[in-house]
Amino acid sequence: MKVRLCPSMMCADIFDLKNTIDVFEKYKIECLHIDIMDGVFVPNYTLGTDYCRQLKKKTHIPLDYHLMIDRPEDKIDRFPIEKGDYVSIHYESTNHPQRVLGKLREKGAKPIIALNPATPVSCIEYLLDDIDAVLIMTVNPGYSGQKLIPSTLNKIKETREFLDSKGYENVEIEVDGNVSFENAVKMREMGADMFVAGSSSIFSAFFSLSEGIEKFLNTVK
Ligand code: DX5
Ligand code: ZN
């Protein structure tokens, strides 16, 4: 499957959002990764429902909601989820992942199951009909600017092999956390398709956003 670059909006300059979105539209970026944290499932807060509504007024680029929240079943209706948006929920955040993924599909969203670094790949076995992608966290979720957990690289490969062995070749693999240019190349080799690009790559003080995107797309094939 082709490489999809998913910019992490928590790493974008909030004072320059309009120009940032213009750049994403110019490069035909396919989705904007939105980190939603509740201070409970992860020890931090980030973007919220009003931010998503504002963003939707300014761009038609689909959103890629990453819900790092406890009991997402109680909260998904609060988000402006539209047909074509991606929504990931964490396997560890609910007793009923299958039910929540089903509700997301009913909304026309593309459901994704997200796995923390210590969660085994095998837990997705009975969710395969309910997902369009698996999000492999390559750091513990909660903060940008963390260092890759090395064992998660092999986990990407294991996930690809697991999906293929079950006949789910079309289910994509998203990776999130320290997706630097260098790590992204390795992640691609392991089978990743969707790359959450944050402070480790395209959002840098040393080059422009356009330069970052071009470098990413030229480096990760
Ligand atoms: C981690 C977040 C990521 C993060 C990625 O919990 O979900 O989206 O912003 O960016 P860097 O490159 O800083 O790890
Ligand atoms: Zn994320």
Side-chain angles (χ1 to χ4, degrees):
M1 279 172 279
K2 66 173 187 171
V3 169
R4 279 181 222 272
L5 178 58
C6 316
S8 176
M9 296 306 288
M10 73 180 271
C11 301
D13 180 354
I14 53 167
F15 297 109
D16 197 27
L17 269 188
K18 187 69 190 82
N19 289 328
T20 300
I21 290 165
D22 288 346
V23 172
F24 292 149
E25 290 183 344
K26 181 178 154 210
Y27 285 95
K28 302 199 179 341
I29 294 297
E30 292 177 65
C31 60
L32 306 179
H33 185 84
I34 314 288
D35 285 307
I36 307 285
M37 306 187 187
D38 66 356
V40 180
F41 182 72
V42 288
N44 199 5
Y45 300 94
T46 38
L47 309 171
T49 52
D50 288 334
Y51 175 89
C52 298
R53 264 183 275 279
Q54 300 269 13
L55 208 53
K56 280 200 170 283
K57 281 188 207 158
K58 296 283 177 219
T59 181
H60 294 298
I61 301 177
L63 301 188
D64 172 30
Y65 295 96
H66 179 192
L67 302 183
M68 288 164 273
I69 60 177
D70 258 355
R71 290 187 59 87
E73 55 269 49
D74 298 341
K75 297 151 195 166
I76 50 176
D77 290 337
R78 300 177 197 169
F79 292 90
I81 296 169
E82 291 177 339
K83 198 171 180 302
D85 287 333
Y86 291 88
V87 184
S88 57
I89 58 151
H90 271 263
Y91 181 80
E92 310 83 4
S93 68
T94 172
N95 289 331
H96 304 288
Q98 196 279 337
R99 180 184 288 155
V100 191
L101 293 163
K103 280 194 181 156
L104 292 170
R105 190 154 270 167
E106 275 171 29
K107 285 175 181 283
K110 297 175 182 169
I112 304 179
I113 191 74
L115 306 184
N116 281 338
T119 303
V121 175
S122 56
C123 71
I124 66 173
E125 180 161 8
Y126 296 100
L127 296 172
L128 294 172
D129 284 331
D130 305 294
I131 54 173
D132 284 2
V134 182
L135 167 50
I136 300 295
M137 288 305 306
T138 44
V139 299
N140 284 298
Y143 303 96
S144 63
Q146 302 183 82
K147 215 168 150 350
L148 176 91
I149 296 172
S151 61
T152 59
L153 278 180
N154 201 52
K155 190 176 179 187
I156 299 165
K157 188 161 168 249
E158 197 193 324
T159 306
R160 185 71 270 155
E161 287 169 358
F162 185 80
L163 291 168
D164 292 351
S165 73
K166 300 281 178 189
Y168 289 81
E169 291 87 355
N170 292 333
V171 171
E172 291 182 277
I173 297 178
E174 181 173 20
V175 285
D176 187 8
N178 195 199
V179 183
S180 62
F181 300 109
E182 200 187 1
N183 287 337
V185 171
K186 296 181 194 157
M187 292 164 171
R188 182 63 173 164
E189 279 168 17
M190 298 293 171
D193 311 290
M194 299 169 66
F195 297 82
V196 178
S199 64
S200 309
S201 63
I202 64 170
F203 295 107
S204 165
F206 302 105
F207 46 77
S208 72
L209 184 57
S210 299
E211 287 168 330
I213 294 171
E214 284 184 23
K215 181 168 179 195
F216 197 99
L217 297 175
N218 290 330
T219 310
V220 187
K221 301 258 182 205

